[in-house]
Amino acid sequence: MKNIIILLLSITTTIIGSCHSQKSTENKHVIKNNQKNDLEKIELTEQTRGTDRKITFTSDSIVTYLNGESKITKSNDTQWTSIVKQTSSLNLDKLPSYTAPTTGRFSDSALSSVIIVTYKGKIYQSSGFDAGAPPKELEALYLLLKK
């Protein structure tokens, strides 16, 4: 009789434990999905006298604008997930304070670039930097956006 009670208790404990583990995994997934939804869009603008280029990324599309011509393509989940992951590693409040390593944009020898992040309804904008030479803190995100 004692053995049966111990067996029933261990089975019950195992079932409760596996339900708890599943619930914990589900909660992590919800947080991850909420993070994806909190990042509304991210834009990369590049300009100089003869060129006006803007690429806008959202969870479902990529809009590329070049000198008055727009092109819309569907983004894939992998791409958006990578952008969300890279953006979440940044301190968005410090985005404007990251300094550019070069100054070619001041004399039109490089496109002047800016990254704009819309997160939870708030807009964060980087300081200007030369295309191809972002601040060190934005380099990984910039390279991901230029793919």
Side-chain angles (χ1 to χ4, degrees), residues 53-71:
R53 180 173 35 221
K54 180 178 183 179
I55 307 168
T56 304
F57 297 85
T58 64
S59 61
D60 57 353
S61 68
I62 302 168
V63 179
T64 306
Y65 172 85
L66 178 60
N67 297 333
E69 304 266 332
S70 292
K71 177 182 161 189

Side-chain angles (χ1 to χ4, degrees), residues 6 11 19 27 60 73 75 86 89 96 101 108 115 120 127 134 140:
I6 292 173
I11 291 172
C19 289
N27 286 341
D60 57 353
T73 56
S75 67
Q86 193 59 51
S89 71
D108 271 350
I115 294 176
K120 290 186 177 181
S127 59

Side-chain angles (χ1 to χ4, degrees), residues 8-95:
L8 288 175
L9 282 175
S10 61
I11 291 172
T12 305
T13 305
T14 304
I15 291 171
I16 291 171
S18 68
C19 289
H20 179 69
S21 293
Q22 185 178 3
K23 202 176 231 182
S24 177
T25 304
E26 289 170 2
N27 286 341
K28 288 179 185 175
H29 185 65
V30 169
I31 291 169
K32 186 176 178 184
N33 282 340
N34 285 344
Q35 257 185 338
K36 283 183 180 182
N37 293 336
D38 289 342
L39 180 62
E40 297 167 25
K41 69 179 176 179
I42 188 160
E43 300 169 87
L44 172 64
T45 64
E46 298 177 319
Q47 298 175 318
T48 192
R49 273 190 250 198
T51 304
D52 184 18
R53 180 173 35 221
K54 180 178 183 179
I55 307 168
T56 304
F57 297 85
T58 64
S59 61
D60 57 353
S61 68
I62 302 168
V63 179
T64 306
Y65 172 85
L66 178 60
N67 297 333
E69 304 266 332
S70 292
K71 177 182 161 189
I72 300 173
T73 56
K74 186 175 170 80
S75 67
N76 62 48
D77 193 45
T78 305
Q79 190 175 26
W80 181 247
T81 301
S82 297
I83 290 171
V84 169
K85 182 179 177 185
Q86 193 59 51
T87 304
S88 69
S89 71
L90 298 172
N91 181 343
L92 295 177
D93 290 324
K94 291 186 176 185
L95 205 61

Side-chain angles (χ1 to χ4, degrees), residues 49 100 102-110 112 128 130:
R49 273 190 250 198
T102 56
T103 58
R105 66 195 174 283
F106 297 140
S107 61
D108 271 350
S109 63
S112 178
D130 293 351

